[in-house]
Amino acid sequence: MDPTTAATLGGIAGLALGGLAMVAVRLSDRSTAAEAPAPPAPPLPPGVGEVIAVLRSSGILVDSSDRVVNNSPAAVAQGLVRGQELVHPELLHLARAVRRDGVIREAELTLQKGIGDGRLVVAARVAPLGADHVLLLVEDRSKAARVEEIRRDFLANVSHELKTPVGGISLLAEAVLDAHDDPEAVARFAKRISVESDRLTRLVKEIVELSRLQGADVIKDPTLIDVGACARDAADRSRLIADEHRIELVTAVDEGCEVWGDADLVTTAISNLIGNAIAYSDSGTRVGVMVRRGRSGVIDVSVTDQGLGIAPDEQQRIFERFYRVDTARSRATGGTGLGLAIVKHVADNHGGNVSVWSEPGRGSTFTIELPAANASGAIEPAAPTTYAALPHDPGPAPSVDTSPTPSADTGPTPSVDTGPAPSVSA
């Protein structure tokens, strides 16, 4: 090998060895850097973690990098914290502003709840905690906001509903004065005043009743009540008006259907359902009232009519206060729009619920479910129940109570099956 070639090969080998040495040095530096411990997180002020852990409201502690380093269980339950991150940018903006200038801030925020359209109304107080942390105290005020919204709507609706009969009485009184020399006109206007006065009295009574039901501890001393007796009593109260409308009112009651509660309230709820059924049914039809043992541990009270039925998009709103499916018909019958709201609150206060099946042209069935007093175990979950409209050619119903005087009824319930009907969960 000549000297030139040997020198060239030696230079190439030297360059290769130098490159390998540099790579080895860099890998060694990276390994050393990786093994070096990360700088320790700033320590929490003493006792802060213990205090946050017992907060009923949401307590969140974030560090200088906006990382959540401690939080109360409520913060996770309300969806404010996910892992080590604040979910809502509104809260993060407040935390950064407080860290920037050290000024305590308070704000009421409306935050998105989960991934849906729900909203969470919160009151947030954000303050610096030491040199490296910011503390957020977040209180859920959604319930208070809903109550306030309901109160505003209630007052607006009440003022509107009271204005109608009061204005009618005022105008009729003026008409009586103007027609004082016409006995027939005076009698006609006086009759209308009496109607409007009755309507006003009924409206005020139902407003007071609904306000009482919405209060806390309505049923302070529950007693053992016979739901069948309540249903018979409610039917007897409505029998006269049913006869006036030529509507057959029939009852079918299982004996021994007892619940703990207030007999007057349960009777009022059933009366409201029967009154609605009569008001929205045509002459020559039938309204059926049935009390029976439903699924284990539950007493069912059902009121079925052959009326106009309720459209599906309105069935979700019929238990709202002052909501009417047929406003013109309700005005003609003197309805206040509070009857079904009272039914719902009575059911809620007895630990039960109320549901509806309805189909336009086939009638409706309203069902109140109440926990049975003699239930021996846990209440079974609701199973799909099939409701069917009453037949439009009512014949004599076997073993039902149609007499004015309550009597024991142990016979079979009247048949209401006219073919397959949609299944709903009662």
Side-chain angles (χ1 to χ4, degrees), residues 279-355:
Y280 289 92
S281 295
D282 294 327
S283 299
T285 58
R286 175 189 292 179
V287 171
V289 183
M290 182 182 298
V291 179
R292 63 186 179 92
R293 297 177 186 86
R295 65 184 190 273
S296 178
V298 175
I299 303 299
D300 289 347
V301 184
S302 300
V303 177
T304 303
D305 64 56
Q306 300 171 316
L308 304 175
I310 305 169
D313 58 340
E314 293 185 312
Q315 292 180 22
Q316 302 298 323
R317 300 194 59 193
I318 56 177
F319 295 103
E320 296 178 10
R321 290 166 298 183
F322 298 110
Y323 184 78
R324 299 179 178 92
V325 174
D326 186 344
T327 304
R329 187 160 186 155
S330 180
R331 296 285 186 188
T333 58
T336 63
L338 292 175
L340 291 179
I342 291 175
V343 172
K344 185 178 186 304
H345 280 288
V346 170
D348 290 344
N349 288 333
H350 283 78
N353 61 68
V354 58
S355 59

Side-chain angles (χ1 to χ4, degrees), residues 250-254 289-292 396-401 408-416:
V250 296
T251 60
V253 176
D254 284 348
V289 183
M290 182 182 298
V291 179
R292 63 186 179 92
S399 301
V400 295
D401 178 14
D409 181 6
T410 58
T413 60
S415 172
V416 296

Side-chain angles (χ1 to χ4, degrees), residues 42-60:
L44 298 179
V48 171
E50 290 80 359
V51 172
I52 291 179
V54 299
L55 286 176
R56 294 185 62 183
S57 58
S58 296
I60 306 169

